[in-house]
Amino acid sequence: MRPEPTAEFRHRTVEAPAGRIHLVEQGTGPLVLLVHGFPESWYSWRRQLPALAAAGYRAAAIDVRGYGRSSRPAATDAYRMLDLVEDNLAVVRALGEESAVVIGHDWGSNIAAASALLHPAVFRAVGLLSVPYAPPGGPRPTDVFSRIGGAEQEFYVSYFQEPGRAEAEIEPDVRGWLAGFYAALSADTMPAEGDPDPHFVAHGGRLRDRFPAGELPAWLSEDELDVYAAEFERTGLTGALNRYRNMDRDWEDLAPHRGAPIEQPSLFVGGTLDASTTWMADAVDAHPRTLPGLSASHLPEGCGHWIQQERPDEVNRLLTDWLRTLQD
């Protein structure tokens, strides 16, 4: 599998609270803003940009602050959710639009949801991939994550909290780490049931100790891995990891919106083999209440975490079919 031709991709940077946000766009029509997750970039949407453009939309995939060619503020607390939402607002305005449909994957799903929750007049509909919507509230996040795993292992979110700790594991071999991380969460290469779970770290160990060794997942070529690796070798991982280091700040910042539903039209798509979807099954079940504008929840069988890359044709069909309903 080779990377898709990028001749029609238009790269640009726009001013935003982060400093600058880099984005790649294709097509003309109503704006669809695409927001990636960890550890990815605009390139995660390379197979959606042409499909959305062909369907009559102006698709714009951003590098979230801290990633790629976007600005990387030095302060850890510059990566709180409120700041990322403001970046999305700035992108819409810089593109000369008054509103957009926002679609996110992984952390991008949370960012898209928060954008829709806080600015419903701008983000008129929201699509969530892999991570379902859970309204703000509940116990403090780091308290919850610190209890997951028990005495023998540590949950990866807790592992990511201390500045520099995960960077020390990843940055000496960015390409190898990314290959293992992508494989660990892909349907065709993830560890078999009963093997050590790669979402956890043995005390004194590394996250990569539980990554599968061997070939890349079917959706990822060596050339495509090179694209991801080159970006993170240049930028490092701190900006990306700082998203995890602001979960408690987000919990405090969003306290006024505890329990709040998102009223706009919405869509959820999550793979049946994706822990981000299955661990949050209760949130998916609650979508009729928390996402009253939900069109549908789609759960592709046998699909892992990198859903729009593992199942591009299926995801493209689901997205374009849903987007058409917004114009009826």
Side-chain angles (χ1 to χ4, degrees), residues 188-210:
D188 58 334
T189 48
M190 64 176 53
E193 186 175 354
D195 288 344
D197 190 330
H199 294 89
F200 294 87
V201 182
H203 290 299
R206 305 171 302 171
L207 195 64
R208 70 184 303 159
D209 293 339
R210 296 186 174 185

Side-chain angles (χ1 to χ4, degrees), residues 26 48 231 293:
Q26 188 170 1
Q48 283 65 55
E231 290 289 78

Side-chain angles (χ1 to χ4, degrees), residues 175 178-179 182 216 220-230:
R175 191 179 191 279
L178 290 175
Y182 295 148
L216 296 177
L220 183 67
S221 71
E222 296 284 351
D223 289 339
E224 290 169 322
L225 176 60
D226 285 342
V227 173
Y228 284 117

Side-chain angles (χ1 to χ4, degrees), residues 17-290:
R20 68 179 181 278
I21 292 292
H22 167 253
L23 61 92
V24 177
E25 59 177 324
Q26 188 170 1
T28 58
L31 178 61
V32 179
L33 186 66
L34 303 170
V35 188
H36 67 81
F38 175 87
E40 304 178 82
S41 75
W42 77 266
Y43 191 67
S44 305
W45 303 102
R46 63 195 176 281
R47 299 188 179 101
Q48 283 65 55
L49 288 163
L52 294 174
Y57 298 94
R58 182 186 187 185
I62 67 170
D63 280 335
V64 174
R65 70 164 67 188
Y67 288 83
R69 302 182 209 177
S70 292
S71 292
R72 300 186 301 280
T76 300
D77 65 359
Y79 296 83
R80 62 209 309 155
M81 184 63 72
L82 295 182
D83 291 329
L84 302 180
V85 169
E86 290 301 310
D87 287 342
N88 282 354
L89 275 176
V91 169
V92 173
R93 291 167 180 154
L95 294 179
E97 303 288 352
E98 295 182 357
S99 66
V101 176
V102 61
I103 300 172
H105 169 256
D106 184 79
W107 263 121
S109 178
N110 296 97
I111 299 168
S115 299
L117 176 66
L118 298 176
H119 297 281
V122 175
F123 299 101
R124 60 188 181 91
V126 59
L128 309 176
L129 305 185
S130 296
V131 178
Y133 176 59
R140 184 178 294 273
T142 56
D143 291 343
V144 174
F145 295 128
S146 67
R147 295 193 294 268
I148 299 175
E152 301 301 322
Q153 56 188 2
E154 181 180 15
F155 192 47
Y156 79 100
V157 176
S158 297
Y159 180 68
F160 286 168
Q161 292 302 307
E162 181 184 341
R165 185 183 180 196
E167 289 93 326
E169 171 186 338
I170 301 168
E171 292 180 355
D173 177 21
V174 168
R175 191 179 191 279
W177 194 92
L178 290 175
F181 192 75
Y182 295 148
L185 306 186
S186 297
D188 58 334
T189 48
M190 64 176 53
E193 186 175 354
D195 288 344
D197 190 330
H199 294 89
F200 294 87
V201 182
H203 290 299
R206 305 171 302 171
L207 195 64
R208 70 184 303 159
D209 293 339
R210 296 186 174 185
F211 292 168
E215 61 185 310
L216 296 177
W219 61 267
L220 183 67
S221 71
E222 296 284 351
D223 289 339
E224 290 169 322
L225 176 60
D226 285 342
V227 173
Y228 284 117
E231 290 289 78
F232 287 109
E233 285 167 351
R234 180 175 57 82
T235 65
L237 271 291
T238 296
L241 289 162
N242 278 345
R243 175 81 289 274
Y244 292 90
R245 296 163 185 162
N246 279 277
M247 298 178 76
D248 284 351
R249 292 185 182 95
D250 298 339
W251 179 75
E252 295 169 355
D253 290 341
L254 295 173
H257 304 277
R258 289 176 186 261
I262 294 174
E263 304 284 351
Q264 299 95 301
S266 56
L267 178 76
F268 175 71
V269 188
T272 59
L273 298 182
D274 182 3
S276 297
T277 297
T278 59
W279 286 347
M280 297 185 70
D282 289 347
V284 176
D285 291 342
H287 276 169
R289 174 175 52 81
T290 62

